[in-house]
Amino acid sequence: AQTVTQSQPEMSVQEAETVTLSCTYDTSESDYYLFWYKQPPSRQMILVIRQEAYKQQNATENRFSVNFQKAAKSFSLKISDSQLGDAAMYFCAYRRGNTGNQFYFGTGTSLTVIP
Amino acid sequence: DTEVTQTPKHLVMGMTNKKSLKCEQHMGHRAMYWYKQKAKKPPELMFVYSYEKLSINESVPSRFSPECPNSSLLNLHLHALQPEDSALYLCASSPRRSTGLSGETQYFGPGTRLLVL
């Protein structure tokens, strides 16, 4: 069974600084996808960034980037130039390749941005 | 357009009521999901429909009954719920197969916040 672990229940960062959220996963598959989702308080869960396991290049989306270490089964999210609007729960998620519908979520990291 | 809509936004019901939650997507996605989410916790998978057929049922009590009338619509029928069923109910959809950069990604609706009294 696939498991996703987020070892940091809570993190805080000063506005304009950089923060890294960690995620590790366990799988025996070679083809899979990894995601970071953001859920602000009482608001919708939205996709932040997505990584295909077969791609060696780390995904980036503006201020958000990942450090994907396939051998170590690690998938951390780096947020640069943190903004107040980045405050949210962040969930790491895993999905098997073409044969899988099910997503596996980590327990989440609550990020606070300090003005 | 990556929109999943859910109605109602909020629902308060008694333990003897019958109500339904509705979810719609018009992105041509062929997999649709129901999740239950408690505060500060990850979503818990309840049901998955693939090509309008129930493909995953995570041992959900029978007081929750899903229905997928067509490829764009997903309902969750509620009957005789318990107070512990109070939660945010999320609907999501995803393409069944990779379709470019958005392939395999799951898109969430805003959720229905349910309170059972």
Side-chain angles (χ1 to χ4, degrees):
Chain A
Q2 284 77 24
T3 58
V4 179
T5 301
Q6 293 179 250
S7 59
Q8 305 152 316
E10 296 178 344
M11 292 281 286
S12 62
V13 62
Q14 208 76 32
E15 196 176 1
E17 296 295 310
T18 296
V19 65
T20 299
L21 309 183
S22 67
C23 173
T24 58
Y25 58 94
D26 185 26
T27 184
S28 57
E29 306 286 333
S30 59
D31 181 22
Y32 53 88
Y33 301 84
L34 297 164
F35 307 85
W36 279 99
Y37 283 91
K38 168 187 176 181
Q39 189 176 34
S42 300
R43 294 188 62 187
Q44 191 163 347
M45 188 166 321
I46 59 173
L47 177 71
V48 175
I49 201 164
R50 169 181 179 272
Q51 175 82 43
E52 296 93 332
Y54 62 85
K55 288 189 177 178
Q56 291 187 338
Q57 188 173 6
N58 289 326
T60 62
E61 285 289 341
N62 301 314
R63 298 182 295 108
F64 298 87
S65 61
V66 298
N67 183 4
F68 173 48
Q69 301 287 331
K70 191 171 183 179
K73 296 180 183 175
S74 170
F75 182 62
S76 61
L77 175 69
K78 185 171 84 170
I79 306 174
S80 304
D81 185 25
S82 297
Q83 300 175 359
L84 295 177
D86 295 333
M89 282 291 287
Y90 285 82
F91 294 101
C92 179
Y94 166 101
R95 176 179 181 170
R96 282 167 55 191
N98 287 333
T99 58
N101 269 329
Q102 192 163 353
F103 283 67
Y104 299 87
F105 287 89
T107 50
T109 296
S110 179
L111 179 66
T112 300
V113 180
I114 303 164
Chain B
D1 183 12
T2 57
E3 188 177 25
V4 178
T5 60
Q6 289 188 244
T7 54
K9 289 185 180 179
H10 301 275
L11 179 62
V12 180
M13 60 188 290
M15 289 190 283
T16 58
N17 292 158
K18 285 185 182 180
K19 297 285 185 183
S20 295
L21 309 184
K22 180 179 172 182
C23 172
E24 275 191 283
Q25 58 86 15
H26 297 284
M27 297 177 279
H29 290 175
R30 305 316 298 266
M32 296 185 75
Y33 308 74
W34 280 116
Y35 289 92
K36 172 184 177 182
Q37 188 182 29
K38 294 280 196 179
K40 297 269 190 181
K41 298 291 185 184
E44 298 172 37
L45 183 64
M46 300 175 73
F47 304 103
V48 180
Y49 274 83
S50 179
Y51 290 95
E52 301 158 50
K53 288 185 168 51
L54 184 64
S55 64
I56 297 176
N57 177 342
E58 290 289 327
S59 302
V60 178
S62 59
R63 57 185 184 268
F64 295 92
S65 175
E67 179 196 17
C68 189
N70 58 58
S71 60
S72 300
L73 186 57
L74 187 66
N75 297 321
L76 185 63
H77 303 297
L78 315 173
H79 174 53
L81 294 192
Q82 303 297 309
E84 60 264 28
D85 296 322
S86 298
L88 181 68
Y89 287 84
L90 294 169
C91 175
S93 70
S94 68
R96 181 61 183 90
R97 290 184 180 278
S98 292
T99 52
L101 290 176
S102 66
E104 308 297 341
T105 299
Q106 192 167 96
Y107 298 93
F108 285 86
T112 293
R113 198 163 294 281
L114 173 67
L115 177 61
V116 182
L117 300 175

